[in-house]
Amino acid sequence: MEIKVLGPGCTKCKTTFKAIEKVIKKNNLDVKLTKVEDIMEIMKYNIMATPAVVVDEEIKIKGKVPNENEIKNLLGL
Amino acid sequence: MIQSFADYVVYNLFGLDESSRFGVALNFFLYDSIKIILLLFFISLVMGIINAYFPIEKLRNYLSSHKLYGLDYFLAALFGGITPFCSCSSVPLFIGFVRGGIPLGVTLTFLIASPLVSEIAVAMFLGTFGLKVTLIYIISGTLLSMIGGFILGKMRLEKYLSNWVKEAQIQSNLQSEEWKAEKTPFLKRLPTIARESWGIVKGVLIYIVIGIGIGATMHGYVPENFFERFLSAENWWGVPLAVLLAVPMYANAAGIVPIVEVFVAKGIPLGTAIAFMMSIIGLSIPEATMLKKVMTWRLIGIFFGVVSLLIILSGYLFNFFFTS
């Protein structure tokens, strides 16, 4: 599984990244988590609001910081 | 109700004297903070609910598929105000609009309105200046965004966009994705919306408290009519000077409004103060650097120039109406 957090580096994007990272570590999951800050790269996903979370190249969340339950759903927990 | 709570805490719980300067200032501080926090939460909640039903993608698709003869400027300004703004979202929004084939002028209207008329600005104005000034601010902010976008749209500035944005513009309309309505019932979505509203409040809480704190202190120590000498309505250069000072400044709307309220109470004309706040809230250096990714410096300069001029004009207009 591969997860990308899209966002040009604002607070909300960092919060999102950290929240997902925490759940992954806590559950010892084998997930590749990356942060995408380059705007050209972000715009390839055709989103209009950041932060966005992409799971295996599919946009799952956009424009908000997900809560723990939503993150667990994303990770299939 | 809030007042009696503030009275109780300051005079009974802390046991401060009702006539002491510190007691009064603390009471004012507590009362204003609670009032503004409640207002901000409530306004964010309302905007959050509207947003949940009319997300920005829906507006984009609507604007790009309908011919609206000018109404599109109004819609862009309106939604610019409702959409929660974060300066880092401005670039994706901008590209999203351009890709949807929406005219540059309408896109810029959205970009002007988004920080200018935000839930934070509205709550702070309502809490410190009252309903009348808030309405003036919202209406003039909306009009200003529409006129600004319209003028900029007429200037044919597309050639000053960054190259890769121009390419995106050519490929526009190709990927007008379908907007999927969320099927979750309202009551189930409400907690999420409320949580996000609280997130907005939490994010600016510290600025609100600091701003009101400085305001409350200044109220007691700055002499009456202190500023009138420098920036009275008769001085024609008062408004442009206020705008010039404010554009490079980057203060949170939450922090600056209570401080400017003191300036007004101590003799600065309201129009000058509104122009000052509009420039602080609406235009900033961090925003310019974000926009650099999609625009050339030249376009950013024209954009800031036109908006500043319009803010100066509205400052004069307010001063004229409120002093005569």
Side-chain angles (χ1 to χ4, degrees):
Chain A
M1 193 190 246
E2 193 186 0
I3 295 182
K4 288 178 187 166
V5 177
L6 315 182
C10 55
T11 338
K12 277 188 186 176
C13 316
K14 284 175 194 147
T15 318
T16 306
F17 183 84
K18 279 187 197 131
I20 298 177
E21 196 180 36
K22 206 175 114 193
V23 177
I24 292 176
K25 272 198 183 141
K26 208 163 107 189
N27 295 287
N28 248 334
L29 297 172
D30 180 31
V31 177
K32 193 175 165 235
L33 179 66
T34 47
K35 212 188 292 181
V36 181
E37 292 190 345
D38 179 46
I39 193 76
M40 319 265 263
E41 198 63 35
I42 291 172
M43 291 322 296
K44 281 186 190 153
Y45 291 94
N46 203 20
I47 50 155
M48 286 179 64
T50 54
V53 180
V54 178
V55 179
D56 290 331
E57 296 305 303
E58 194 185 334
I59 301 158
K60 292 287 189 185
I61 282 169
K62 47 187 174 180
K64 65 170 184 185
V65 180
N67 63 21
E68 210 180 321
N69 279 335
E70 285 168 315
I71 295 174
K72 281 184 177 162
N73 270 336
L74 290 180
L75 293 165
L77 289 174
Chain B
M1 203 180 82
I2 303 168
Q3 185 62 66
S4 39
F5 175 75
D7 287 346
Y8 173 76
V9 170
V10 174
Y11 303 133
N12 298 19
L13 223 56
F14 294 168
L16 287 166
D17 191 356
E18 258 178 78
S19 54
S20 73
R21 205 179 206 178
F22 182 65
V24 174
L26 194 66
N27 188 304
F28 173 83
F29 170 74
L30 196 63
Y31 171 71
D32 257 29
S33 307
I34 297 173
K35 183 175 67 177
I36 287 173
I37 288 165
L38 286 177
L39 272 171
L40 180 57
F41 179 71
F42 183 71
I43 293 170
S44 311
L45 200 62
V46 173
M47 287 184 174
I49 292 169
I50 300 176
N51 249 297
Y53 287 92
F54 297 96
I56 190 69
E57 284 93 351
K58 204 177 181 184
L59 171 76
R60 196 254 316 250
N61 291 354
Y62 184 80
L63 286 179
S64 58
S65 57
H66 292 72
K67 240 193 153 347
L68 290 158
Y69 307 102
L71 192 68
D72 37 0
Y73 285 94
F74 176 68
L75 285 175
L78 196 70
F79 273 83
I82 293 169
T83 314
F85 181 76
C86 148
S87 64
C88 52
S89 266
S90 56
V91 171
L93 277 170
F94 189 88
I95 309 289
F97 269 51
V98 168
R99 266 196 189 150
I102 292 165
L104 188 61
V106 178
T107 308
L108 291 174
T109 291
F110 188 91
L111 215 57
I112 302 169
S114 194
L116 199 56
V117 188
S118 64
E119 66 278 6
I120 294 167
V122 171
M124 294 310 293
F125 266 85
L126 212 52
T128 33
F129 285 99
L131 185 63
K132 193 178 147 199
V133 177
T134 310
L135 285 178
I136 294 171
Y137 181 82
I138 296 176
I139 293 169
S140 54
T142 308
L143 278 176
L144 194 146
S145 323
M146 288 167 65
I147 297 168
F150 185 77
I151 294 174
L152 290 162
K154 287 278 168 245
M155 287 166 88
R156 309 245 157 265
L157 298 165
E158 281 81 358
K159 54 181 176 292
Y160 299 121
L161 289 169
S162 304
N163 281 327
W164 71 281
V165 180
K166 281 186 219 159
E167 278 160 35
Q169 208 172 15
I170 295 163
Q171 302 162 3
S172 73
N173 294 327
L174 296 180
Q175 35 199 339
S176 216
E177 92 223 78
E178 216 171 292
W179 179 74
K180 283 178 242 107
E182 256 189 79
K183 293 281 191 304
T184 327
F186 177 70
L187 277 177
K188 271 200 164 168
R189 297 174 71 176
L190 202 56
T192 318
I193 298 171
R195 213 189 57 228
E196 274 163 25
S197 304
W198 179 241
I200 293 175
V201 175
K202 235 169 55 185
V204 296
L205 199 62
I206 184 80
Y207 302 101
I208 296 182
V209 172
I210 292 173
I212 297 174
I214 295 175
T217 318
M218 276 168 75
H219 254 295
Y221 297 99
V222 179
E224 214 60 37
N225 301 329
F226 178 73
F227 295 108
E228 203 160 12
R229 281 178 288 165
F230 312 110
L231 287 167
S232 76
E234 280 88 57
N235 287 334
W236 65 267
W237 44 264
V239 177
L241 180 72
V243 172
L244 221 62
L245 281 176
V247 173
M249 276 165 91
Y250 180 61
N252 212 295
I256 203 70
V257 178
I259 298 172
V260 173
E261 195 268 330
V262 181
F263 284 61
V264 174
K266 306 291 180 186
I268 296 237
L270 189 59
T272 313
I274 290 186
F276 182 74
M277 287 183 285
M278 279 184 161
S279 334
I280 285 196
I281 299 169
L283 300 171
S284 67
I285 302 281
E287 201 199 343
T289 44
M290 287 305 300
L291 290 178
K292 182 66 189 77
K293 289 176 180 150
V294 285
M295 300 176 181
T296 54
W297 282 120
R298 192 173 173 143
L299 179 51
I300 295 173
I302 297 171
F303 176 65
F304 272 47
V306 168
V307 177
S308 304
L309 270 178
L310 285 172
I311 293 176
I312 292 173
L313 272 178
S314 43
Y316 280 131
L317 220 63
F318 292 136
N319 278 346
F320 178 76
F321 281 118
F322 285 109
T323 44
S324 55

PDB file of all heavy atoms in Angstrom, chain B residues 202-222:
ATOM      1  N   LYS B 202      -9.698  27.001  17.194  1.00  0.00           N
ATOM      2  CA  LYS B 202      -8.475  26.652  17.896  1.00  0.00           C
ATOM      3  C   LYS B 202      -7.240  27.240  17.200  1.00  0.00           C
ATOM      4  O   LYS B 202      -6.307  27.689  17.858  1.00  0.00           O
ATOM      5  CB  LYS B 202      -8.335  25.127  17.969  1.00  0.00           C
ATOM      6  CG  LYS B 202      -8.156  24.653  19.384  1.00  0.00           C
ATOM      7  CD  LYS B 202      -8.284  23.143  19.531  1.00  0.00           C
ATOM      8  CE  LYS B 202      -7.373  22.350  18.635  1.00  0.00           C
ATOM      9  NZ  LYS B 202      -7.637  20.887  18.748  1.00  0.00           N
ATOM     10  N   GLY B 203      -7.300  27.243  15.849  1.00  0.00           N
ATOM     11  CA  GLY B 203      -6.166  27.735  15.082  1.00  0.00           C
ATOM     12  C   GLY B 203      -5.876  29.207  15.301  1.00  0.00           C
ATOM     13  O   GLY B 203      -4.739  29.643  15.183  1.00  0.00           O
ATOM     14  N   VAL B 204      -6.910  30.003  15.575  1.00  0.00           N
ATOM     15  CA  VAL B 204      -6.688  31.446  15.709  1.00  0.00           C
ATOM     16  C   VAL B 204      -6.867  31.938  17.142  1.00  0.00           C
ATOM     17  O   VAL B 204      -6.731  33.114  17.422  1.00  0.00           O
ATOM     18  CB  VAL B 204      -7.613  32.274  14.779  1.00  0.00           C
ATOM     19  CG1 VAL B 204      -7.287  31.980  13.331  1.00  0.00           C
ATOM     20  CG2 VAL B 204      -9.068  32.007  15.059  1.00  0.00           C
ATOM     21  N   LEU B 205      -7.170  31.005  18.049  1.00  0.00           N
ATOM     22  CA  LEU B 205      -7.454  31.366  19.436  1.00  0.00           C
ATOM     23  C   LEU B 205      -6.389  32.276  20.037  1.00  0.00           C
ATOM     24  O   LEU B 205      -6.681  33.321  20.620  1.00  0.00           O
ATOM     25  CB  LEU B 205      -7.552  30.076  20.268  1.00  0.00           C
ATOM     26  CG  LEU B 205      -8.263  30.208  21.601  1.00  0.00           C
ATOM     27  CD1 LEU B 205      -9.701  30.638  21.386  1.00  0.00           C
ATOM     28  CD2 LEU B 205      -8.236  28.885  22.356  1.00  0.00           C
ATOM     29  N   ILE B 206      -5.141  31.892  19.824  1.00  0.00           N
ATOM     30  CA  ILE B 206      -4.046  32.640  20.440  1.00  0.00           C
ATOM     31  C   ILE B 206      -3.996  34.078  19.910  1.00  0.00           C
ATOM     32  O   ILE B 206      -3.781  35.023  20.654  1.00  0.00           O
ATOM     33  CB  ILE B 206      -2.702  31.888  20.242  1.00  0.00           C
ATOM     34  CG1 ILE B 206      -1.563  32.593  20.956  1.00  0.00           C
ATOM     35  CG2 ILE B 206      -2.370  31.669  18.792  1.00  0.00           C
ATOM     36  CD1 ILE B 206      -1.542  32.293  22.426  1.00  0.00           C
ATOM     37  N   TYR B 207      -4.279  34.243  18.578  1.00  0.00           N
ATOM     38  CA  TYR B 207      -4.264  35.595  17.988  1.00  0.00           C
ATOM     39  C   TYR B 207      -5.411  36.439  18.529  1.00  0.00           C
ATOM     40  O   TYR B 207      -5.254  37.633  18.772  1.00  0.00           O
ATOM     41  CB  TYR B 207      -4.356  35.516  16.475  1.00  0.00           C
ATOM     42  CG  TYR B 207      -3.243  34.716  15.862  1.00  0.00           C
ATOM     43  CD1 TYR B 207      -3.444  33.406  15.456  1.00  0.00           C
ATOM     44  CD2 TYR B 207      -1.971  35.267  15.721  1.00  0.00           C
ATOM     45  CE1 TYR B 207      -2.420  32.663  14.921  1.00  0.00           C
ATOM     46  CE2 TYR B 207      -0.936  34.536  15.189  1.00  0.00           C
ATOM     47  CZ  TYR B 207      -1.159  33.229  14.783  1.00  0.00           C
ATOM     48  OH  TYR B 207      -0.146  32.496  14.268  1.00  0.00           O
ATOM     49  N   ILE B 208      -6.568  35.789  18.700  1.00  0.00           N
ATOM     50  CA  ILE B 208      -7.718  36.507  19.251  1.00  0.00           C
ATOM     51  C   ILE B 208      -7.366  37.029  20.639  1.00  0.00           C
ATOM     52  O   ILE B 208      -7.538  38.209  20.951  1.00  0.00           O
ATOM     53  CB  ILE B 208      -8.958  35.579  19.344  1.00  0.00           C
ATOM     54  CG1 ILE B 208      -9.411  35.135  17.963  1.00  0.00           C
ATOM     55  CG2 ILE B 208     -10.091  36.288  20.075  1.00  0.00           C
ATOM     56  CD1 ILE B 208     -10.647  34.256  17.974  1.00  0.00           C
ATOM     57  N   VAL B 209      -6.849  36.138  21.467  1.00  0.00           N
ATOM     58  CA  VAL B 209      -6.556  36.505  22.852  1.00  0.00           C
ATOM     59  C   VAL B 209      -5.494  37.607  22.899  1.00  0.00           C
ATOM     60  O   VAL B 209      -5.647  38.600  23.613  1.00  0.00           O
ATOM     61  CB  VAL B 209      -6.116  35.259  23.652  1.00  0.00           C
ATOM     62  CG1 VAL B 209      -5.617  35.652  25.021  1.00  0.00           C
ATOM     63  CG2 VAL B 209      -7.283  34.288  23.771  1.00  0.00           C
ATOM     64  N   ILE B 210      -4.438  37.463  22.107  1.00  0.00           N
ATOM     65  CA  ILE B 210      -3.391  38.484  22.101  1.00  0.00           C
ATOM     66  C   ILE B 210      -3.955  39.812  21.597  1.00  0.00           C
ATOM     67  O   ILE B 210      -3.749  40.866  22.205  1.00  0.00           O
ATOM     68  CB  ILE B 210      -2.193  38.042  21.235  1.00  0.00           C
ATOM     69  CG1 ILE B 210      -1.489  36.854  21.893  1.00  0.00           C
ATOM     70  CG2 ILE B 210      -1.212  39.201  21.038  1.00  0.00           C
ATOM     71  CD1 ILE B 210      -0.395  36.237  21.049  1.00  0.00           C
ATOM     72  N   GLY B 211      -4.713  39.753  20.476  1.00  0.00           N
ATOM     73  CA  GLY B 211      -5.282  40.977  19.892  1.00  0.00           C
ATOM     74  C   GLY B 211      -6.182  41.702  20.876  1.00  0.00           C
ATOM     75  O   GLY B 211      -6.063  42.908  21.078  1.00  0.00           O
ATOM     76  N   ILE B 212      -7.085  40.960  21.512  1.00  0.00           N
ATOM     77  CA  ILE B 212      -8.006  41.585  22.463  1.00  0.00           C
ATOM     78  C   ILE B 212      -7.229  42.093  23.677  1.00  0.00           C
ATOM     79  O   ILE B 212      -7.510  43.168  24.203  1.00  0.00           O
ATOM     80  CB  ILE B 212      -9.120  40.604  22.890  1.00  0.00           C
ATOM     81  CG1 ILE B 212      -9.963  40.215  21.679  1.00  0.00           C
ATOM     82  CG2 ILE B 212     -10.013  41.228  23.951  1.00  0.00           C
ATOM     83  CD1 ILE B 212     -10.986  39.143  21.952  1.00  0.00           C
ATOM     84  N   GLY B 213      -6.228  41.328  24.071  1.00  0.00           N
ATOM     85  CA  GLY B 213      -5.405  41.754  25.201  1.00  0.00           C
ATOM     86  C   GLY B 213      -4.724  43.086  24.934  1.00  0.00           C
ATOM     87  O   GLY B 213      -4.787  44.006  25.743  1.00  0.00           O
ATOM     88  N   ILE B 214      -4.098  43.214  23.759  1.00  0.00           N
ATOM     89  CA  ILE B 214      -3.433  44.468  23.400  1.00  0.00           C
ATOM     90  C   ILE B 214      -4.471  45.584  23.312  1.00  0.00           C
ATOM     91  O   ILE B 214      -4.281  46.687  23.835  1.00  0.00           O
ATOM     92  CB  ILE B 214      -2.672  44.329  22.062  1.00  0.00           C
ATOM     93  CG1 ILE B 214      -1.535  43.315  22.213  1.00  0.00           C
ATOM     94  CG2 ILE B 214      -2.112  45.688  21.621  1.00  0.00           C
ATOM     95  CD1 ILE B 214      -0.793  43.023  20.927  1.00  0.00           C
ATOM     96  N   GLY B 215      -5.615  45.255  22.659  1.00  0.00           N
ATOM     97  CA  GLY B 215      -6.685  46.248  22.526  1.00  0.00           C
ATOM     98  C   GLY B 215      -7.159  46.743  23.875  1.00  0.00           C
ATOM     99  O   GLY B 215      -7.276  47.946  24.105  1.00  0.00           O
ATOM    100  N   ALA B 216      -7.409  45.804  24.792  1.00  0.00           N
ATOM    101  CA  ALA B 216      -7.928  46.177  26.114  1.00  0.00           C
ATOM    102  C   ALA B 216      -6.926  47.052  26.860  1.00  0.00           C
ATOM    103  O   ALA B 216      -7.294  48.026  27.513  1.00  0.00           O
ATOM    104  CB  ALA B 216      -8.241  44.924  26.926  1.00  0.00           C
ATOM    105  N   THR B 217      -5.645  46.726  26.738  1.00  0.00           N
ATOM    106  CA  THR B 217      -4.621  47.516  27.421  1.00  0.00           C
ATOM    107  C   THR B 217      -4.536  48.918  26.821  1.00  0.00           C
ATOM    108  O   THR B 217      -4.486  49.914  27.542  1.00  0.00           O
ATOM    109  CB  THR B 217      -3.237  46.837  27.292  1.00  0.00           C
ATOM    110  OG1 THR B 217      -3.422  45.441  27.483  1.00  0.00           O
ATOM    111  CG2 THR B 217      -2.267  47.369  28.298  1.00  0.00           C
ATOM    112  N   MET B 218      -4.522  48.970  25.473  1.00  0.00           N
ATOM    113  CA  MET B 218      -4.402  50.264  24.805  1.00  0.00           C
ATOM    114  C   MET B 218      -5.553  51.192  25.147  1.00  0.00           C
ATOM    115  O   MET B 218      -5.372  52.392  25.312  1.00  0.00           O
ATOM    116  CB  MET B 218      -4.346  50.069  23.290  1.00  0.00           C
ATOM    117  CG  MET B 218      -2.956  49.755  22.781  1.00  0.00           C
ATOM    118  SD  MET B 218      -3.012  49.186  21.079  1.00  0.00           S
ATOM    119  CE  MET B 218      -3.316  50.711  20.208  1.00  0.00           C
ATOM    120  N   HIS B 219      -6.761  50.603  25.273  1.00  0.00           N
ATOM    121  CA  HIS B 219      -7.940  51.403  25.589  1.00  0.00           C
ATOM    122  C   HIS B 219      -7.704  52.269  26.811  1.00  0.00           C
ATOM    123  O   HIS B 219      -8.074  53.435  26.855  1.00  0.00           O
ATOM    124  CB  HIS B 219      -9.140  50.485  25.851  1.00  0.00           C
ATOM    125  CG  HIS B 219     -10.111  50.479  24.736  1.00  0.00           C
ATOM    126  ND1 HIS B 219     -10.826  51.585  24.369  1.00  0.00           N
ATOM    127  CD2 HIS B 219     -10.473  49.497  23.872  1.00  0.00           C
ATOM    128  CE1 HIS B 219     -11.596  51.281  23.341  1.00  0.00           C
ATOM    129  NE2 HIS B 219     -11.401  50.016  23.008  1.00  0.00           N
ATOM    130  N   GLY B 220      -7.056  51.685  27.812  1.00  0.00           N
ATOM    131  CA  GLY B 220      -6.864  52.400  29.050  1.00  0.00           C
ATOM    132  C   GLY B 220      -5.740  53.418  29.010  1.00  0.00           C
ATOM    133  O   GLY B 220      -5.747  54.389  29.738  1.00  0.00           O
ATOM    134  N   TYR B 221      -4.774  53.207  28.127  1.00  0.00           N
ATOM    135  CA  TYR B 221      -3.566  54.028  28.246  1.00  0.00           C
ATOM    136  C   TYR B 221      -3.310  55.012  27.117  1.00  0.00           C
ATOM    137  O   TYR B 221      -2.507  55.911  27.249  1.00  0.00           O
ATOM    138  CB  TYR B 221      -2.350  53.117  28.438  1.00  0.00           C
ATOM    139  CG  TYR B 221      -2.450  52.345  29.719  1.00  0.00           C
ATOM    140  CD1 TYR B 221      -2.899  51.026  29.735  1.00  0.00           C
ATOM    141  CD2 TYR B 221      -2.152  52.958  30.937  1.00  0.00           C
ATOM    142  CE1 TYR B 221      -3.032  50.330  30.927  1.00  0.00           C
ATOM    143  CE2 TYR B 221      -2.283  52.271  32.124  1.00  0.00           C
ATOM    144  CZ  TYR B 221      -2.717  50.953  32.122  1.00  0.00           C
ATOM    145  OH  TYR B 221      -2.857  50.281  33.299  1.00  0.00           O
ATOM    146  N   VAL B 222      -3.999  54.792  25.951  1.00  0.00           N
ATOM    147  CA  VAL B 222      -3.803  55.751  24.866  1.00  0.00           C
ATOM    148  C   VAL B 222      -4.794  56.900  25.054  1.00  0.00           C
ATOM    149  O   VAL B 222      -5.985  56.673  25.217  1.00  0.00           O
ATOM    150  CB  VAL B 222      -4.024  55.088  23.491  1.00  0.00           C
ATOM    151  CG1 VAL B 222      -3.843  56.093  22.377  1.00  0.00           C
ATOM    152  CG2 VAL B 222      -3.080  53.917  23.312  1.00  0.00           C
TER     153      VAL B 222
END
